[in-house]
Amino acid sequence: MKPHLTTDRSNRYVLSLPAGDVDGIAAARGLEADGYFWEGVARQLVATRRPALATRFTFDSDAATFAAESGDRQPLAELAALLT
């Protein structure tokens, strides 16, 4: 799965990723690969690899989709690269 970066109706940037497991990684650990799972992965990646990004966007995930939003495209592009 590849993260998708778009703009919404209020001209904010949105990075999204449909929920789903990648090669059974989550299922092998008894986890459900929903939007909240991927938000946890994103939070961990940011905390350990790019902590300066932590305040540059907000999360808006749900059970079906991971989502992060920002008025600035750059931090979301960096997050997409981390997730990829």
Side-chain angles (χ1 to χ4, degrees):
M1 290 182 286
K2 182 177 178 185
H4 185 67
L5 185 55
T6 60
T7 55
D8 67 10
R9 291 181 182 156
S10 60
N11 292 321
R12 288 182 55 82
Y13 294 94
V14 178
L15 180 69
S16 61
L17 179 69
D21 203 346
V22 177
D23 299 326
I25 295 168
R29 289 163 177 78
L31 301 170
E32 183 177 345
D34 60 9
Y36 301 114
F37 169 84
W38 288 110
E39 181 175 320
V41 170
R43 287 180 185 277
Q44 184 64 25
L45 286 169
V46 169
T48 59
R49 297 187 183 180
R50 298 266 177 84
L53 290 178
T55 61
R56 306 226 14 234
F57 55 83
T58 58
F59 291 105
D60 189 24
S61 302
D62 60 30
T65 305
F66 160 82
E69 301 176 325
S70 177
D72 184 1
R73 186 181 192 285
Q74 186 58 36
L76 295 179
E78 290 182 42
L79 178 58
L82 285 172
L83 287 167
T84 301

